[in-house]
Amino acid sequence: MNRPAPLGEERLPLSGVRVMVTRARSQARELVEKIEALGGEAYVFPLLKMVPPADTGPLDDAIARLDAFDWVMFTSVNGVRFFLERMRQLGVSPDRMTARVAAVGPKTAAELDKHGWTADVIPSDYVAEGMLAALRGRLAPGQRVLLPRADIARKTLPDELRRMGLQVTEVDAYETVIDGEGAPEAAERLRRGEIDAIAFTSSSTVQHFMQVMAPYGLDGLLASVRIACIGPVTAETAKRLGLPVHAVAREYTVDGLLQALTANLGGDVHGTHI
């Protein structure tokens, strides 16, 4: 149940709302800090770990012939970080990048900018479909595209690029592995009614949540919990796996997710019709 703000204190948009954050621990800080700034309480239940690929051969080969590509398209901040880290390990300078660069959103573009790379294309919708829409008219059949991504990335972008006649090279810049270490504690917090909302920031976090929490009887644990998703792809995954979805971000970013939480989960969580 939401707890009222102490007498005389300002009531913030998420005052008393207890939010479970399912991002990888390395990525959770931004969301946690913003939840707390809005008056909420954040409980981090990391479900993912990002690690270098077990087989770096394809990635190393792509880096070795980096100047052979017309486009390099990054679909996450992690993709940029792991790609550049491998370049550093191989002694390849970022100056070798001669291709045009596309970034799925402003956070990814900002990460590129840190290393001297400027994104030529940043879509307004931060998903594969938005990337495709932003690229239309700028691509030509026969162009060579490099996609450094997660091992579990969706196939929408490369499949559509190939249909457009482009030569696409997909490489795993990193692998996403499940982290279920905190499941017993998370289940106990849910059982005691100490979580008001769960924030999902990707389809993989939803899938891993369902997998690690299945032994604890989710039907009972989630009866009074609101589910918030960072975008429609994540929301569709949640619905497909049997989770109710109460809030979906209109802008597919952490700030967009927070806006959805504020608009739909603020106030009396258990008494609000969504």
Side-chain angles (χ1 to χ4, degrees):
M1 208 60 193
N2 274 7
R3 292 156 312 289
L7 191 63
E9 286 191 14
E10 177 188 5
R11 185 171 182 84
L12 296 170
L14 291 179
S15 288
V17 177
R18 299 159 298 188
V19 183
M20 179 178 285
V21 175
T22 58
R23 299 195 96 176
R25 193 173 297 280
S26 62
Q27 296 179 300
R29 176 179 293 182
E30 178 189 12
L31 183 52
V32 167
E33 289 177 348
K34 290 186 175 184
I35 288 170
E36 292 174 346
L38 291 170
E41 296 179 23
Y43 166 63
V44 180
F45 175 30
L47 289 164
L48 308 175
K49 291 179 183 177
M50 283 71 171
V51 298
D55 177 9
T56 61
L59 176 60
D60 293 352
D61 177 68
I63 290 173
R65 53 190 184 91
L66 190 56
D67 52 8
F69 294 98
D70 300 296
W71 286 90
V72 180
M73 300 179 184
F74 291 98
T75 56
S76 71
V77 170
N78 282 314
V80 176
R81 289 174 178 167
F82 277 91
F83 188 78
L84 281 159
E85 175 60 21
R86 189 58 183 166
M87 287 183 68
R88 187 192 65 79
Q89 292 170 353
L90 295 172
V92 177
S93 169
D95 293 339
R96 284 280 306 279
M97 174 72 84
T98 58
R100 282 168 286 183
V101 179
V104 78
K107 296 289 177 63
T108 303
E111 188 67 24
L112 288 166
D113 192 58
K114 289 180 186 177
H115 304 278
W117 290 353
T118 300
D120 296 277
V121 174
I122 308 172
S124 56
D125 285 341
Y126 312 140
V127 290
E129 291 81 357
M131 177 86 86
L132 288 164
L135 285 165
R136 291 191 189 281
R138 306 191 65 168
L139 302 175
Q143 287 183 328
R144 294 156 297 181
V145 177
L146 175 62
L147 287 176
R149 312 199 300 160
D151 59 317
I152 59 171
R154 298 166 65 217
K155 293 295 185 181
T156 302
L157 181 59
D159 287 351
E160 184 59 28
L161 290 171
R162 290 189 180 103
R163 277 193 286 270
M164 295 166 66
L166 284 85
Q167 301 176 35
V168 180
T169 299
E170 297 176 75
V171 293
D172 293 344
Y174 63 99
E175 294 178 355
T176 303
V177 297
I178 194 165
D179 181 2
E181 183 179 346
E185 180 184 344
E188 183 60 20
R189 284 178 179 260
L190 287 165
R191 187 188 66 79
R192 294 199 301 257
E194 296 176 359
I195 301 297
D196 299 310
I198 302 176
F200 288 112
T201 54
S202 67
S203 288
S204 54
T205 57
V206 177
Q207 293 161 349
H208 290 176
F209 177 85
M210 297 299 287
Q211 182 176 336
V212 303
M213 298 300 288
Y216 300 96
L218 279 176
D219 288 344
L221 294 179
L222 299 179
S224 59
V225 175
R226 300 306 195 205
I227 305 297
C229 295
I230 201 166
V233 174
T234 302
E236 183 57 36
T237 300
K239 292 174 184 176
R240 177 170 52 81
L241 295 177
L243 291 178
V245 175
H246 305 91
V248 181
R250 293 182 180 178
E251 179 181 296
Y252 316 145
T253 62
V254 165
D255 287 335
L257 180 58
L258 286 166
Q259 289 172 5
L261 281 165
T262 301
N264 297 308
L265 304 179
D268 183 0
V269 172
H270 299 294
T272 301
H273 176 71
I274 301 176

